[in-house]
Amino acid sequence: MTNRVYPYYPSWDGKETKPVTAKLVELCKARWGTKSLGTYVNRQMRSGAGLSVHATGYAADIQYKDEAQAREMWNWFLGSSVIDGKTIQHSKHLGLCELHWYAYGEYGAGYRCSRGEGKTGVKIYTATDNAGPGNGWLHFEMAKQSAEAFETAWRSLPKP
């Protein structure tokens, strides 16, 4: 199976929060009581190496209440389920392109679709190779898709 191509390099100014990103924020709030820390903003990455994916409108930072909730969310988005005898990788089914958990372990962890689906696509960061500081939120990047398609995919998966 071929890994998906990561679609946001280089990033561009998408001018607004995309409907799929707004739906992600809404559904996470309904399920886990999370809070959005931001979606669209036209800005450079912290490293200065180009536009942040937030500029595309397909990224969201979602605040969780504690580590247990972050772990539940991480495991659900990167988990798998058997539906009608077929194994479904949640990351692909939902159109998740990237997910960062900055407070995972000592230096954080990041999933990227180009590395594989689910936990196969996770990289555990080190002191010299990490996504930067951050604590208390997960960073999501969603594939280009309709909010309706995303919600249908979300509701078809078992709750955590």
Side-chain angles (χ1 to χ4, degrees), residues 50-108:
L51 282 179
S52 163
V53 176
H54 282 280
T56 67
Y58 289 100
D61 290 334
I62 297 179
Q63 184 178 41
Y64 51 83
K65 69 177 180 179
D66 57 26
E67 183 179 344
Q69 184 180 61
R71 186 167 307 284
E72 180 176 287
M73 293 172 71
W74 176 263
N75 287 337
W76 187 77
F77 278 98
L78 299 179
S80 62
S81 298
V82 176
I83 300 173
D84 296 328
K86 183 178 176 187
T87 300
I88 304 294
Q89 293 291 332
H90 295 195
S91 56
K92 184 174 184 179
H93 190 68
L94 295 167
L96 182 64
C97 295
E98 191 144 313
L99 175 59
H100 292 275
W101 183 5
Y102 300 104
Y104 180 96
E106 191 169 353
Y107 299 105

Side-chain angles (χ1 to χ4, degrees), residues 30 39 62 66 127 152-153 155:
T39 55
I62 297 179
D66 57 26
T152 297
R155 296 195 184 286

Side-chain angles (χ1 to χ4, degrees), residues 16-30 34-36 38-40 56-62 140-143 145-148 150-151 154-155:
E16 64 186 1
T17 298
K18 301 307 180 193
V20 66
T21 309
K23 184 58 70 174
L24 168 72
V25 169
E26 174 190 320
L27 292 172
C28 284
K29 181 179 181 180
T34 57
K35 176 184 175 187
S36 173
T39 55
Y40 169 79
T56 67
Y58 289 100
D61 290 334
I62 297 179
F140 291 84
E141 297 176 13
M142 301 305 299
Q145 61 184 307
S146 73
E148 295 77 18
F150 173 70
E151 184 171 7
W154 173 287
R155 296 195 184 286

